[in-house]
Amino acid sequence: MKLATYKNGRRDGQLMLVSRDLTKAVAVPAIANTMQQLMDSWDLLEPQLLELYEALNAGQLENTVDFDQGKCESPLPRAYQWADGSAYVNHVELVRKARGAEMPATFWTDPLVYQGGSDSFIAPKADIPLGSEDWGIDFESEIAVITSDVPMGVDAKTAASHIKLLMLVNDVSLRNLIPGELAKGFGFFQSKPSSSFSPVAITPDELGERWQDSKVHLPLITHLNGELFGQPNAGVDMTFDFSQLVSHVAKSRPIGAGAVVGSGTISNYDRSAGSSCLAEKRMLETITDGKPSTSFMKFGDTVKIEMLDDNGVTIFGSIDQKVVEYKA
């Protein structure tokens, strides 16, 4: 099943059921008006939506519209929870190596997670407004899951059953603000502005065999200013799968329905696949040449993030954004 949220002048938008080929959509107010309403009653409402989804794909529904990604908010325009992991530990290892820092052994056995701001996600086709190029503007191409209610202390096997939807993510980072914040010993805040998510969220079954072991086994493709930047496979070198990340987040507290949990930057040991953020490429340049040659993003730069199926067809639609100067 594929779902989106259309802009309608309200904070949480209008839930839309989207056809598998992303050509048609229909509002379903008789079932749920918003994505959060759906997540709050997922077990009750999912069977009703599935019946409509089959009819939509068969061309049997009235009141459908041509699906327009440009009308989409992030599937959850705001969420009660946004926790982003760093599941590709080789990425963390690389960043630390570039600055000559040893990596604690626990990084391979216990996930890294930070709690991000979830009250103002950016629409997938909207500009990213930021105050200064000096902040070190970077994109991070990722995958995220949306969960149902998750009980505290859930084990990874059980946590997998609480993963209901998948999305793509642009987790914007301000690299030059990060060191000062981390030096305070209290984590990210100003260095992590609003994130963006793909136009469409999908149920894992839409991926078929490409969803295995709570991982997405497909390349995540990033273009920077229209040129291919990277396409590492999201199912390769993922140290902690999504069930483990959800279990980790719920260790000491229950997680409410509609919680968003991210994978962290997709990264492969095979560097020929490219990278999913500028920081990784800069670190590789530092290791090879002693200094980075790739700059961070400037105002006017664009980034596009998407994932294609085995036939080359977009699965989630695309995050396609431009960085602009913020003006109050």
Side-chain angles (χ1 to χ4, degrees), residues 4-8 13-14 16 25 65-68 71-73:
T5 294
Y6 264 14
K7 301 172 184 177
N8 68 349
Q14 175 66 57
M16 303 293 289
V65 296
D66 292 337
F67 180 58
D68 184 351
K71 293 181 178 180
C72 290
E73 300 274 12

Side-chain angles (χ1 to χ4, degrees), residues 16-140:
M16 303 293 289
L17 188 64
V18 183
S19 63
R20 182 170 287 112
D21 61 5
L22 306 189
T23 61
K24 295 294 181 181
V26 64
V28 287
I31 297 175
N33 278 306
T34 68
M35 183 72 78
Q36 186 60 50
Q37 288 178 1
L38 170 60
M39 301 313 303
D40 285 340
S41 302
W42 179 269
D43 290 341
L44 174 65
L45 301 180
E46 182 196 21
Q48 301 174 51
L49 276 177
L50 279 173
E51 185 176 349
L52 285 179
Y53 186 61
E54 292 176 3
L56 175 62
N57 286 310
Q60 298 171 349
L61 290 185
E62 298 179 355
N63 301 320
T64 62
V65 296
D66 292 337
F67 180 58
D68 184 351
Q69 296 183 39
K71 293 181 178 180
C72 290
E73 300 274 12
S74 285
L76 280 166
R78 55 179 176 169
Y80 291 115
Q81 178 72 257
W82 161 227
D84 196 20
S86 192
Y88 297 82
V89 180
N90 80 85
H91 171 76
V92 182
E93 184 180 42
L94 177 66
V95 171
R96 294 179 71 91
K97 179 180 179 180
R99 65 173 189 259
E102 291 293 326
M103 191 173 75
T106 55
F107 279 31
W108 293 102
T109 57
D110 194 36
L112 288 169
V113 177
Y114 84 90
Q115 190 170 38
S118 59
D119 52 337
S120 61
F121 294 143
I122 302 175
K125 305 294 184 182
D127 291 341
I128 302 170
L130 293 169
S132 173
E133 293 178 345
D134 294 336
W135 290 349
I137 303 166
D138 200 357
F139 56 85
E140 290 190 57

Side-chain angles (χ1 to χ4, degrees), residues 24 43 84 112 122 155 169 191 265 270 273 283 299 315 327:
K24 295 294 181 181
D43 290 341
D84 196 20
L112 288 169
I122 302 175
D155 60 65
V169 191
S191 52
T265 307
D270 178 4
M283 293 305 169
F299 296 141
I315 300 170
K327 297 180 179 180

Side-chain angles (χ1 to χ4, degrees), residues 88-205:
Y88 297 82
V89 180
N90 80 85
H91 171 76
V92 182
E93 184 180 42
L94 177 66
V95 171
R96 294 179 71 91
K97 179 180 179 180
R99 65 173 189 259
E102 291 293 326
M103 191 173 75
T106 55
F107 279 31
W108 293 102
T109 57
D110 194 36
L112 288 169
V113 177
Y114 84 90
Q115 190 170 38
S118 59
D119 52 337
S120 61
F121 294 143
I122 302 175
K125 305 294 184 182
D127 291 341
I128 302 170
L130 293 169
S132 173
E133 293 178 345
D134 294 336
W135 290 349
I137 303 166
D138 200 357
F139 56 85
E140 290 190 57
S141 303
E142 307 180 11
I143 300 171
V145 300
I146 304 177
T147 73
S148 58
D149 286 305
V150 182
M152 183 171 70
V154 68
D155 60 65
K157 182 178 180 180
T158 306
S161 67
H162 293 282
I163 295 171
K164 301 304 181 185
L165 294 170
L166 301 166
M167 307 181 288
L168 305 183
V169 191
N170 180 14
D171 179 42
V172 181
S173 292
L174 305 177
R175 301 295 184 183
N176 292 340
L177 300 186
I178 289 177
E181 287 203 296
L182 293 185
K184 297 176 181 178
F186 215 52
F188 302 121
F189 196 88
Q190 291 179 337
S191 52
K192 288 291 188 175
S194 298
S195 298
S196 308
F197 297 83
S198 52
V200 175
I202 71 171
T203 50
D205 61 283

